Amino acid sequence: MPGQRPAPARSAPPGAERPGPKPRPAGIPKPGPRRPAPAAPQAAVQQLPATAAQALDRADEAVDRLLESGRDPGTVLVLTVGEPHPWQRHELSFGEERYWAQLAEGDDVFYADAALTRPARREVVVLVVNGGTADRAAKAFTEARGRAAELLVVCGNAGPAAAASAAPTGRPVTA
């Protein structure tokens, strides 16, 4: 007598054996608490004593020494606390769009105001304290330190935090 025949046994689709996490094999430890990522190393700070009137010249000398030592120009950022650097004025004369494109391209030394709001991080930052208030200089130092990956050269007086971070020296580190 014809009737229904039993269906052949079907295997479960892969991964459907059981819901939830799979048991850990013996001998493998459970993960421990998450550790915070290691802090990025702070850039070395070098202080080049200068009055506000001398700061631009000291900064230019520092940049020249860095480049003469073989440093790639695209790794240097120069930030001014007071009046803009003459090179910044020159580059801005070609228009804002071209000026900011140079920052993005990263092929040459970039000159900007210390209150720069765009993301910019370079191996070396030269902070030029050529005017402005003591508070502005101190804030610029803190921000410049965060922008420098290897070396921050401070030309002029950026306040007690800068003075405590480095010993004065006549020549910038070229490493």
Side-chain angles (χ1 to χ4, degrees):
M1 178 154 124
Q4 289 186 342
R5 296 198 287 184
R10 294 188 300 183
S11 61
E17 294 85 34
R18 72 173 229 200
K22 295 184 179 187
R24 290 186 169 275
I28 297 178
K30 292 183 179 181
R34 289 189 176 236
R35 296 180 191 170
Q42 287 282 328
V45 178
Q46 185 170 34
Q47 181 83 36
L48 298 179
T51 65
Q54 298 168 327
L56 275 174
D57 289 337
R58 292 302 302 264
D60 288 342
E61 291 167 7
V63 170
D64 288 345
R65 284 193 186 110
L66 289 163
L67 299 178
E68 288 167 2
S69 73
R71 176 111 16 212
D72 183 326
T75 64
V76 180
L77 174 64
V78 178
L79 300 173
T80 55
V81 175
E83 291 293 315
H85 191 284
W87 271 109
Q88 180 184 359
R89 285 190 190 120
H90 172 75
E91 296 300 336
L92 279 166
S93 72
F94 297 104
E96 290 268 337
E97 187 176 321
R98 181 67 202 127
Y99 172 73
W100 292 114
Q102 286 182 332
L103 175 63
E105 292 164 1
D107 294 333
D108 205 353
V109 176
F110 189 77
Y111 296 85
D113 186 276
L116 179 67
T117 57
R118 296 184 185 223
R121 185 163 166 84
R122 299 269 175 108
E123 290 176 18
V124 179
V125 175
V126 178
L127 179 63
V128 186
V129 186
N130 60 333
T133 65
D135 287 343
R136 185 164 191 264
K139 183 177 179 184
F141 170 77
T142 301
E143 291 177 8
R145 191 166 199 183
R147 294 181 186 278
E150 294 177 18
L151 176 64
L152 170 59
V153 180
V154 180
C155 302
N157 183 4
S165 297
T169 181
R171 297 192 66 167
V173 176
T174 56

